[in-house]
Amino acid sequence: GCEVTKDVTVNGLPNVSAGADQTICDGSSATLTSSTMSSYNWSTGATTASITVSPTQTTTYTLTGVDGNGCENQDDVTVTVEDLPSVSVASGSSVLCEAETVTLSSTVTGGTWSSDDNSVATVSPTGIVTAKSVTTQSTAVITFTSTSNCTGSITVTVNPALAISGTLTATVGGTEPVLLINGNTTAAASSWSSSDLNVATIDATTSGKIVAVGAGTTTITYTDPATSCQATATFTVSAAPSITSTVTEVCEDGSLTLTATPAGGTWSASSGSIANPSSTTTTSTAAFTSSSGGTTSTVTYTAGGVAATVSVTVLAPPTISPSAAVSVCIGSDVTLVGSGTASTSTPWSSDDVSIATVSNGVVTGVATGVATITYMNNKGCEVTKDVTVNGLPNVSAGADQTIC
């Protein structure tokens, strides 16, 4: 019945903490840190207070901790792995020209889009990227950030805008302009095209040379062979100039109006019997004055570097015979004869029918004075001759007499 006693101390379990749960993005790592213990034993096999883990899927880690009394306890920590967004082109191309757009998509829903350089490209909340104006080829990184702060990105390339310069008009048969891109010549003729080959075509050997075919307008397009960026311009072709007047004869000291198409050209005449035009050079008509009948001059109309010509004949004036001075007495007639073929409409006329009248060349004296008689031939050319009308003599046979 003898007894003995011993005190036994019961220690509480240690407060083991593996830290707060964490969320990481796929491909990232998390650092797990415990409270102070005498020893540590992680489910990964690590025995340090702090460990770094890189799970590829959501994983729970267990920490077994032992305090100074040799008591042990456990705690779990969960590392949640979120998918990384994968960004790709949904519609369009990641290589852009100014003002072009491309639609991007992400494999993760819910998040925001951003651009690292809005001067190169901007992106809308729905992933639509718009290329901005750049002077040299530039890039921008477009990033999608999920609600878990995981990111995915894609690089877009923006090329400078192209502009067609040079002469955007031509005349059929005239100078063939060579167009430039941003002020520079281009290498490949195949990079150019025309929307209407009935108006203009592209020269096959000289890049950018436009060949006028017919009057009208066409759209000229240049496609950069390296970037596929395009530039367009409206090209206008005028018809070859044509002098449309059908009358090409003019009387000496007369005038002739010529008409041509298209408007805006310039007129000139060869030296000789036709003087330079009296009209302005910006119209399509010109009035020429003539001299030196019986000669021919070449009249030229130039538009768009192309010339149209016509021969103009200056007609010698008709003549009236007799060539000597002509007079007639009042009440008497004198006959004048005009050369060539007379006009069918009023070939003869008098400037003063109170002095003399004329019909078919027959001049009749009416009163004392001088009348100018005009003869016009079938070409409309005229000649004049003065006819003097003399009064009748005062004849006296004496007074009447009476005889037995």
Side-chain angles (χ1 to χ4, degrees), residues 238-263:
S238 299
S242 172
I243 298 176
T244 57
S245 301
T246 57
V247 177
T248 57
E249 293 179 328
V250 60
C251 299
E252 180 179 294
D253 296 327
S255 63
L256 174 68
T257 298
L258 297 178
T259 302
T261 59

Side-chain angles (χ1 to χ4, degrees), residues 84-88 90 104-110 113 144-146 152:
L84 280 176
S86 176
V87 176
S88 61
L104 303 180
S105 63
S106 169
T107 54
V108 175
T109 59
W113 293 93
F144 178 81
T145 303
S146 69

Side-chain angles (χ1 to χ4, degrees), residues 104-378:
L104 303 180
S105 63
S106 169
T107 54
V108 175
T109 59
T112 58
W113 293 93
S114 63
S115 169
D116 74 336
D117 193 341
N118 286 322
S119 67
V120 175
T122 59
V123 60
S124 73
T126 58
I128 299 175
V129 177
T130 302
K132 308 300 284 185
S133 176
V134 295
T135 56
T136 59
Q137 189 181 73
S138 304
T139 59
V141 177
I142 308 300
T143 300
F144 178 81
T145 303
S146 69
T147 54
S148 300
N149 209 34
C150 297
T151 61
S153 62
I154 190 172
T155 298
V156 296
T157 301
V158 177
N159 291 296
L162 303 178
I164 296 176
S165 60
T167 302
L168 295 173
T169 58
T171 300
V172 175
T175 302
E176 298 172 347
V178 175
L179 302 183
L180 308 175
I181 292 296
N182 294 349
N184 301 311
T185 57
T186 55
S190 59
S191 298
W192 296 86
S193 63
S194 170
S195 66
D196 192 339
L197 299 181
N198 293 318
V199 175
T201 60
I202 308 300
D203 185 83
T205 57
T206 302
S207 182
K209 179 183 281 190
I210 310 302
V211 180
V213 177
T217 60
T218 183
T219 299
I220 301 297
T221 300
Y222 173 79
T223 303
D224 191 305
T227 66
S228 296
C229 292
Q230 292 186 327
T232 61
T234 299
F235 192 88
T236 302
V237 175
S238 299
S242 172
I243 298 176
T244 57
S245 301
T246 57
V247 177
T248 57
E249 293 179 328
V250 60
C251 299
E252 180 179 294
D253 296 327
S255 63
L256 174 68
T257 298
L258 297 178
T259 302
T261 59
T266 58
W267 292 91
S268 63
S270 63
S271 58
S273 59
I274 293 290
N276 283 331
S278 59
S279 63
T280 63
T281 58
T282 57
T283 65
S284 60
T285 60
F288 292 85
T289 57
S290 64
S291 61
S292 304
T295 60
T296 299
S297 290
T298 299
V299 175
T300 302
Y301 181 74
T302 304
V306 183
T309 61
V310 66
S311 293
V312 175
T313 300
V314 179
L315 301 172
T319 60
I320 293 178
S321 60
S323 58
V326 175
S327 62
V328 65
C329 297
I330 293 174
S332 297
D333 299 328
V334 62
T335 298
L336 303 179
V337 178
S339 64
T341 303
S343 169
T344 58
S345 174
T346 316
W348 294 93
S349 62
S350 170
D351 73 332
D352 193 341
V353 294
S354 66
I355 294 176
T357 61
V358 61
S359 176
N360 294 322
V362 177
V363 180
T364 301
V366 177
T368 302
V370 177
T372 299
I373 304 300
T374 299
Y375 168 72
M376 180 170 63
N377 65 13
N378 63 336

